[in-house]
């Protein structure tokens, strides 16, 4: 996997330091300095990407408090030797999932995403892996993302079109459709198959 370039490491570190300073600081002049450091970090990221500065600020500078990774949960649901995938609006496919909401647990979020994106009711069984997204998915993210893959059992339900997905289906490992690889790769799906087949799976941890 491609490593995060040094300029992006510096920009991320500057943004994290500035965010902590804005949260824990007390002096109004220091706040001005921290705000400027944060702006410089955003300008560095915008300069080297195709994103406009305002979009970078939205993604990069929209939180308060100590900088921590965002959580992305992904559900692995099987029927026989096939895994459930959902088709997104860009017609690529992914495991059902998304950002974890602040007011529910990781398990509850996984079940909610399956319900919203696939129209199915599911029950969590075990955590397959906890991954640093930048070690497995491209393009590299300017902020930290922790991906949590959860093996789930299907309870019932059927697909309903919604704002995020247009279709769903079950696919074998050797017939995967075009994937939304920034969200899930073939290697990550293979990992889910390995967990599904294992008698005693040990959670993988980056």
């Amino acid at each position: 996997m491609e490593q995060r370039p040094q300029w992006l490491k510096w920009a991320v570190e500057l943004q994290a330091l500035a965010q902590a300073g804005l949260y824990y600081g007390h002096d109004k002049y220091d706040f001005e300095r921290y705000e400027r450091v944060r702006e410089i970090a955003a300008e560095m990221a915008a300069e080297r990407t195709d994103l406009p500065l305002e979009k970078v600020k939205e993604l990069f500078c929209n939180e308060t408090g100590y900088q921590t990774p965002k959580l992305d949960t992904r559900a692995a649901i099987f029927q026989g030797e096939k895994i459930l995938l959902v088709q997104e609006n860009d017609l690529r496919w992914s495991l059902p999932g998304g950002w974890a909401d602040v007011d529910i647990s990781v398990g509850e979020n996984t079940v909610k995403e399956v319900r919203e994106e696939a129209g199915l009711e599911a029950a969590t069984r075990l955590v397959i892996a906890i991954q640093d997204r930048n070690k497995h998915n491209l393009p590299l993210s300017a902020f930290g993302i922790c991906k949590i893959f959860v093996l789930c059992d299907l309870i019932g339900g059927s697909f309903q079109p919604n704002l995020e997905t247009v279709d769903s289906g079950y696919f074998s490992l050797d017939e995967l459709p075009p994937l939304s690889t920034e969200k899930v790769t073939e290697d990550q799906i293979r990992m889910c198959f390995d967990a599904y087949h294992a008698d005693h799976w040990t959670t993988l941890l980056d």
Side-chain angles (χ1 to χ4, degrees):
M1 177 60 63
E2 179 182 348
Q3 296 298 308
R4 183 184 290 185
Q6 186 61 54
W7 68 266
L8 183 54
K9 292 180 182 179
W10 286 329
V12 168
E13 184 175 1
L14 285 173
Q15 138 63 15
L17 291 171
Q19 182 168 309
L22 288 168
Y23 186 74
Y24 293 109
H26 300 286
D27 185 272
K28 64 179 182 179
Y29 299 108
D30 283 342
F31 287 149
E32 291 179 357
R33 297 183 185 99
Y34 290 133
E35 285 284 5
R36 180 55 190 143
V37 170
R38 198 177 202 186
E39 288 179 359
I40 291 171
E43 289 167 5
M44 290 172 64
E47 179 72 20
R48 300 297 297 270
T49 66
D50 294 329
L51 294 174
L53 179 59
E54 289 307 311
K55 184 63 175 179
V56 171
K57 286 183 177 180
E58 177 186 335
L59 296 172
F60 204 42
C61 307
N62 65 343
E63 297 181 6
T64 60
Y66 191 79
Q67 185 82 34
T68 59
K70 295 180 180 293
L71 296 180
D72 172 31
T73 65
R74 295 288 154 181
I77 299 175
F78 289 87
Q79 279 191 349
E81 290 301 311
K82 295 186 176 183
I83 193 169
L84 173 70
L85 298 177
V86 291
Q87 188 176 35
E88 301 181 339
N89 291 315
D90 64 2
L91 303 184
R92 296 183 299 161
W93 297 75
S94 178
L95 295 174
W99 297 126
D101 290 342
V102 297
D103 57 345
I104 58 177
S105 70
V106 167
E108 291 168 335
N109 197 82
T110 306
V111 169
K112 178 185 74 72
E113 291 291 335
V114 172
R115 183 184 306 115
E116 290 178 351
E117 295 190 354
L120 304 177
E121 293 299 325
T124 59
R125 189 195 308 181
L126 60 85
V127 176
I128 297 170
I130 303 173
Q131 293 185 339
D132 178 344
R133 181 196 175 281
N134 278 339
K135 295 182 182 293
H136 302 273
N137 301 79
L138 293 174
L140 297 174
S141 172
F143 51 86
I145 299 173
C146 179
K147 294 181 69 67
I148 305 176
F149 293 85
V150 183
L151 183 63
C152 298
D153 294 319
L154 176 62
I155 296 175
S158 60
F159 179 79
Q160 299 294 328
N162 56 83
L163 293 177
E164 297 183 72
T165 60
V166 297
D167 199 2
S168 71
Y170 287 88
F171 299 87
S172 63
L173 191 55
D174 60 0
E175 61 174 10
L176 295 177
L179 297 175
S180 181
T181 53
E182 67 271 20
K183 297 179 180 178
V184 65
T185 65
E186 183 176 337
D187 285 344
Q188 288 167 330
I189 291 176
R190 182 177 291 107
M191 172 187 68
C192 293
F193 271 90
D194 290 342
Y196 173 63
H197 289 132
D199 292 329
H200 302 285
W201 180 259
T202 299
T203 300
L204 301 178
L205 178 64
D206 279 343

